[in-house]
Amino acid sequence: MSNSFRSLHPDQRVLMGPGPSNVHPRVLSAMARPTVGHLDPWFSGFMEDLKELLRMALRTRNALTFPVSAPGSAGMETCIVNLVEPGDKVLVAVNGVFGKRMVENVVNAGGVPITLDFAWGTTIDPQQVEDALKANPDVKILAFVHAETSTGVRADAATLAEIGRRHDCLVLMDAVTSVAGIPVEVDGWGIDAVYSGTQKCLSCPPGLSPVSFSDRAVAAVKARKTPVQSWFLDLTKVMAYWDGSGGRSYHHTAPVNALYGLHESLVMLAEEGLENSWARHAAMHEELKAGLAGLGIEFLVAPESRLPQLNAIKVPEGIDEAAVRAHVLDRFSLEIGAGLGALAGKIWRVGLMGQTAQRSSVTLCVEAMRDALAAQGR
Ligand SMILES: *Cc1c(COP(=O)(O)O)cnc(C)c1O
């Protein structure tokens, strides 16, 4: 039998979609370093360093801070299955795909979701959250998405967390797209449970989900009356692996080389400085906005709640949305994202996340869009 299989050589794309973002060669080469046993004494020290770097990125001193060995959705599920017991009420503010996904997770965990819907493309109204919590004093958890990648909308996380705390809720925040792209202050805002992802503004390959739990949240997990419905994501079990103080014991085999990549990306973030990373994302957004204005392209989201790292822009009248994406991918090796749900065909989602948030990507994107629109007679 002849072997027709070959080694892989994917094209080098410029990734300006909703994630993954471009991965720096330093991260890729860190991932190519020797695999060690995941209970190796050296690896134990490495895990402690990684946890400390994550605390830097999340602005927290939470002891329970570690990367879940699975993508962002698993971080979401970790937070929900551990905090929600059957019958628990969870107020979820929904203004896009990921808020909806939270509701599904609450239902699967046996919780009772109270859904507060906001039009896609608009932000979460804190007053309505406050009113809903007043009307439902037995809500245990307030959950929201900080950076809604499906629409490019930012939530006023500080205000929402303050309201949740005042109503005696645990505050759960999706920070998958926000971490390193816009300010995230887990301790400063009083967030009790947070999850992120590696492939957005941290610019790693997909597959890991940093999570962090406050002492209040850990106490809630420890006080559970019912077992956690997931074996793999059960924090009471995972903690024994990620907590170095009691001696590590086997839970699952950590994705050793993927963790090297996350470590390197966080080292690069520390070198740049977290605030500088936020400022770079904001500056590149301004440049993209100016370039797109020259093409007559408008934004979906009101200026005050726009995410710099995820630009939802309107497809001009008479333009074939999918043909533009195909054109820029084919001619410029540039990936941009499509709209989801009700916004499909109406918007593009242009990511400026992590390593992608640099001037060369902005210039390429504006030129490629100009060319694609011209190809349709614009
Ligand atoms: C990407 C994303 C997720 C899910 O992450 P995966 O790694 O795709 O599972 C969750 N929430 C938000 C806001 C995201 O952007």
Side-chain angles (χ1 to χ4, degrees):
M1 195 181 105
S2 79
N3 182 358
S4 59
F5 296 114
R6 299 273 181 278
S7 298
L8 300 174
H9 296 286
D11 286 340
Q12 181 76 58
R13 304 289 199 199
V14 176
L15 299 175
M16 298 185 77
S21 53
N22 286 347
V23 180
H24 195 279
R26 273 179 64 180
V27 170
L28 293 174
S29 68
M31 293 174 75
R33 290 187 194 139
T35 304
V36 301
H38 74 121
L39 294 170
D40 190 293
W42 174 83
F43 195 68
S44 260
F46 164 85
M47 289 164 87
E48 290 306 310
D49 286 353
L50 187 54
K51 284 157 63 177
E52 199 52 31
L53 283 163
L54 284 175
R55 291 185 188 107
M56 173 275 297
L58 294 168
R59 297 269 195 149
T60 182
R61 295 309 312 153
N62 286 341
L64 184 57
T65 304
F66 72 97
V68 173
S69 303
S73 304
M76 179 189 293
E77 198 159 333
T78 297
C79 292
I80 291 174
V81 292
N82 283 280
L83 292 176
V84 177
E85 290 197 71
D88 283 347
K89 283 194 185 168
V90 184
L91 182 71
V92 191
V94 178
N95 61 346
V97 166
F98 294 104
K100 276 179 75 175
R101 189 172 293 183
M102 278 181 157
V103 174
E104 289 171 15
N105 272 278
V106 170
V107 170
N108 288 2
V112 181
I114 301 174
T115 306
L116 208 51
D117 279 303
F118 299 91
W120 289 28
T122 71
T123 196
I124 298 162
D125 175 10
Q127 187 58 53
Q128 290 187 48
V129 171
E130 172 109 53
D131 294 345
L133 289 177
K134 274 188 190 140
N136 297 278
D138 53 346
V139 166
K140 177 179 174 186
I141 300 164
L142 167 64
F144 63 91
V145 178
H146 187 203
E148 223 340 319
T149 321
S150 61
T151 62
V153 170
R154 179 203 297 243
D156 181 355
T159 301
L160 294 173
E162 187 276 322
I163 293 169
R165 282 281 181 131
R166 197 153 30 75
H167 288 271
D168 213 22
C169 294
L170 292 167
V171 178
L172 164 57
M173 181 170 88
D174 175 320
V176 174
T177 287
S178 50
V179 169
I182 52 174
V184 172
E185 302 279 359
V186 168
D187 289 359
W189 297 340
I191 307 292
D192 292 295
V194 61
Y195 57 92
S196 190
T198 45
Q199 78 275 30
K200 314 270 166 120
C201 298
L202 292 174
S203 262
C204 284
L208 295 171
S209 179
V211 298
S212 186
F213 278 60
S214 71
D215 292 346
R216 269 164 36 107
V218 172
V221 176
K222 288 189 172 152
R224 288 180 65 102
K225 294 182 194 71
T226 55
V228 174
Q229 138 264 22
S230 161
W231 182 88
F232 185 66
L233 302 176
D234 183 346
L235 280 177
T236 58
K237 295 189 174 74
V238 187
M239 269 188 260
Y241 181 57
W242 274 96
D243 178 7
S245 60
R248 291 181 206 286
S249 57
Y250 169 69
H251 174 261
H252 66 281
T253 310
V256 170
N257 293 58
L259 294 173
Y260 295 169
L262 175 58
H263 179 271
E264 189 68 14
S265 84
L266 291 166
V267 167
M268 290 179 69
L269 183 61
E271 286 171 3
E272 179 180 21
L274 189 54
E275 277 111 344
N276 292 334
S277 177
W278 299 337
R280 174 169 52 84
H281 284 84
M284 291 305 110
H285 162 75
E286 288 303 324
E287 295 202 5
L288 180 69
K289 192 173 76 178
L292 293 175
L295 300 179
I297 292 180
E298 293 169 2
F299 278 74
L300 172 75
V301 178
E304 61 278 10
S305 41
R306 273 178 208 162
L307 290 172
Q309 68 273 49
L310 196 288
N311 297 270
I313 54 173
K314 293 184 189 167
V315 178
E317 202 63 42
I319 292 294
D320 178 344
E321 180 277 316
V324 168
R325 278 186 293 116
H327 183 102
V328 300
L329 189 65
D330 184 43
R331 307 283 178 88
F332 297 86
S333 213
L334 169 67
E335 178 182 282
I336 61 172
L340 295 177
L343 295 170
K346 300 200 173 92
I347 62 164
W348 293 293
R349 291 181 300 150
V350 180
L352 280 171
M353 299 180 183
Q355 291 300 318
T356 310
Q358 53 178 290
R359 184 159 294 140
S360 59
S361 331
V362 172
T363 312
L364 175 72
C365 179
V366 172
E367 274 321 301
M369 293 293 284
R370 188 193 310 283
D371 194 65
L373 294 177
Q376 291 190 37
R378 265 277 195 143

